[in-house]
Amino acid sequence: MLAKQDSLNNGWTESQLKNEELERLLNKLRKDTSNINGQLADLRGRYADMDANYAKLRSNSSSEINKLSDDLKKREQRLKEVEEVLRKRDEATNQLKEKLQQALLGFTKNGLTVEIKNGKVYVSLTDKLLFPSGSIVIDEKGKQALTQLANVLKLQPEINIAVEGHTDTQKVNNLGQIKDNWDLSVLRSTSVVRYLTEVEKVESVRMTATGKGEFQPLGPNTTADGRSKNRRIEIVLSPKLDELYDLIKQ
């Protein structure tokens, strides 16, 4: 019976040890379960936030897409309007060129040309058509050409007029107040402007006079023919583009 009691005591002790071990495992499981529940709650909260953000983003994206679509339509409309203004400008420029060619036909043999460059009409008159050699005083043949030109310009009030004087590279000598080619080019252009405004009554507000000197040649200054081409007055006619500028500003 003592042996049996010892055996029972040992079994009881082992049972108590196992029970303690099971208690520890149970506590650990309870703690792990609590941690997992906390993590699960946190994940559910994050998921809810993400779902709300996704819904908001989707709503905002739809709004942004609609806004971009509206902006694109407005830009396309403005582009069409700009293209229409440019088409009208080109059409008016071509019509102006034809009118000038007809009006100035009798002067083409004397070195007058009419052409379109960069949306503008260029009327080029060699110096021998307008001025005596080394002079800034317009001769009779030049006045006739400018009168014909003015008759067309007065019927085109929407056209701006720039008069450019050009020279060759030959040095200016013994011309009194005229010191160099800069002076000569500027004074010749202002002579043309004064004739057009004071005699032919073209509106002064439309006119600009500039001197380019020898720095925009058409031909080589090493030959007489090249120098003759370079000595010229260019009258640059450009349509007013107020409508186009207003469209671009919008």
Side-chain angles (χ1 to χ4, degrees):
M1 289 184 67
L2 288 173
K4 188 174 181 178
Q5 184 178 2
D6 289 338
S7 175
L8 290 172
N9 286 335
N10 289 334
W12 173 253
T13 301
E14 290 177 0
S15 295
Q16 284 183 318
L17 292 173
K18 286 182 180 180
N19 187 56
E20 291 175 357
E21 180 66 22
L22 289 173
E23 286 288 342
R24 285 195 298 271
L25 288 175
L26 181 60
N27 290 332
K28 184 175 183 303
L29 287 173
R30 285 173 177 167
K31 185 177 180 180
D32 290 345
T33 300
S34 177
N35 290 335
I36 290 173
N37 286 333
Q39 292 175 4
L40 181 60
D42 183 59
L43 288 173
R44 284 174 176 166
R46 292 185 182 182
Y47 175 78
D49 290 341
M50 290 177 62
D51 190 52
N53 289 335
Y54 173 75
K56 184 177 179 181
L57 180 61
R58 187 173 181 179
S59 175
N60 289 340
S61 296
S62 178
S63 176
E64 287 295 324
I65 290 172
N66 291 334
K67 183 179 178 181
L68 289 173
S69 178
D70 291 341
D71 289 344
L72 182 59
K73 289 178 181 178
K74 290 179 181 178
R75 292 190 181 190
E76 288 177 347
Q77 180 61 33
R78 284 176 58 194
L79 179 59
K80 289 180 181 179
E81 292 172 355
V82 170
E83 289 175 342
E84 179 62 16
V85 171
L86 292 175
R87 186 193 66 77
K88 290 179 180 178
R89 182 206 66 175
D90 292 340
E91 183 178 306
T93 301
N94 286 320
Q95 290 176 356
L96 178 61
K97 177 188 174 185
E98 291 176 3
K99 291 178 181 178
L100 289 170
Q101 285 178 326
Q102 292 173 5
L104 301 170
L105 183 62
F107 301 95
T108 55
K109 293 181 180 179
N110 299 103
L112 183 148
T113 61
V114 181
E115 60 181 340
I116 294 176
K117 293 187 291 186
N118 301 320
K120 301 176 182 179
V121 177
Y122 282 71
V123 180
S124 182
L125 307 95
T126 59
D127 69 331
K128 64 184 179 182
L129 176 58
L130 294 174
F131 304 99
S133 179
S135 174
I136 62 172
V137 180
I138 302 171
D139 61 21
E140 289 304 315
K141 187 184 296 182
K143 290 178 181 179
Q144 292 174 15
L146 293 177
T147 297
Q148 294 296 323
L149 175 64
N151 290 337
V152 176
L153 296 181
K154 284 186 285 189
L155 298 175
Q156 305 287 331
E158 74 285 357
I159 299 297
N160 288 321
I161 306 160
V163 180
E164 299 177 354
H166 299 265
T167 69
D168 58 21
T169 56
Q170 299 283 63
K171 298 297 181 183
V172 172
N173 296 311
N174 302 319
L175 292 180
Q177 64 175 334
I178 303 173
K179 304 301 181 184
D180 53 25
N181 283 323
W182 279 118
D183 275 352
L184 181 60
S185 65
V186 171
L187 291 172
R188 282 183 166 178
S189 69
T190 53
S191 292
V192 171
V193 166
R194 286 196 182 97
Y195 185 83
L196 291 173
T197 57
E198 295 175 4
V199 179
E200 296 300 331
K201 306 305 179 184
V202 178
E203 292 177 301
S204 300
V205 70
R206 300 166 56 193
M207 305 290 294
T208 303
T210 59
K212 303 288 186 177
E214 62 199 61
F215 301 103
Q216 292 187 7
L218 294 180
N221 282 295
T222 53
T223 66
D225 183 61
R227 290 192 296 272
S228 178
K229 291 179 180 178
N230 296 335
R231 296 190 304 270
R232 68 196 188 279
I233 290 290
E234 286 191 341
I235 300 176
V236 185
L237 309 174
S238 55
K240 294 180 181 178
L241 298 177
D242 297 342
E243 185 180 356
L244 178 60
Y245 294 147
D246 290 340
L247 286 172
I248 293 173
K249 289 178 183 178
Q250 293 178 6

